Amino acid sequence: MPVHRDRRLFELLVLEGAQAGLSWSTILAKRENYRRAFARFDPGKVSRFGPRDARRLMGDAGIVRNRLKIESTIANARAFLEVRREFGSFDAYLWAFVGGRPMQNRRKRMKDVPARTALSDAISKDLRRRGFRFVGSTIIYAFMQATGMVNDHLVTCFRRRQLAGATLRAK
């Protein structure tokens, strides 16, 4: 489903970055721990985390204890707030890349679903320019799928048809 709430977009961006190099099931199993550890994904609170918080998080067995991923979450919260100041919301910034409407792909087989696209390359590049980390093109394409920016359900999937009409701003 299309996601438009900023806090939820931040959550999905953090989780996609944390998943890099790991299985998605590993991150899903730790999702509640991430919510607890990262102030329920409140970017304002996470942006104020300092070295003491980073050390605390490195000792938290409930999340992926990767220093670079933890530090990137804190840095990304700060960059997220900057984007929000510039565009009014992260939602407005992000969805402008697709004209405010989910892209409706017509994939016939799973092997037709790409790991990245020219659009995910462009979003990744712009995010990195703005100071975001762990936002490579493959991560961003998965994020686009998770947030409903792209509908990659196969043409034979019942969900594809349901989501094809889900272009309203569900808040």
Side-chain angles (χ1 to χ4, degrees), residues 46-123:
V46 176
S47 72
R48 293 188 296 274
F49 282 14
R52 178 182 287 164
D53 296 295
R55 283 191 300 278
R56 172 183 54 81
L57 292 166
M58 282 297 294
D60 188 337
I63 66 170
V64 175
R65 293 178 289 180
N66 176 301
R67 183 182 54 81
L68 294 176
K69 290 180 180 183
I70 290 168
E71 290 172 354
S72 77
T73 297
I74 298 166
N76 287 354
R78 294 173 184 145
F80 188 94
L81 293 176
E82 285 300 315
V83 167
R84 193 156 55 180
R85 276 189 274 282
E86 182 178 344
F87 291 88
S89 68
F90 191 78
D91 172 66
Y93 160 78
L94 185 65
W95 280 84
F97 283 97
V98 292
R101 299 178 59 86
M103 297 172 59
Q104 300 297 324
N105 294 322
R106 299 192 53 78
R107 316 280 188 209
K108 293 182 180 167
R109 299 167 303 203
M110 283 303 295
K111 71 178 187 174
D112 296 335
V113 179
R116 60 187 272 211
T117 64
L119 181 57
S120 68
D121 291 348
I123 295 171

Side-chain angles (χ1 to χ4, degrees), residues 102-110 112-117 141-142 144-146 148-157 159-160 163:
M103 297 172 59
Q104 300 297 324
N105 294 322
R106 299 192 53 78
R107 316 280 188 209
K108 293 182 180 167
R109 299 167 303 203
M110 283 303 295
D112 296 335
V113 179
R116 60 187 272 211
T117 64
Y141 195 72
M144 292 169 66
Q145 291 171 315
M149 292 176 69
V150 294
N151 182 354
D152 271 341
H153 287 267
L154 302 182
V155 294
T156 56
C157 179
R159 274 304 266 166
R160 185 192 181 288
L163 294 174

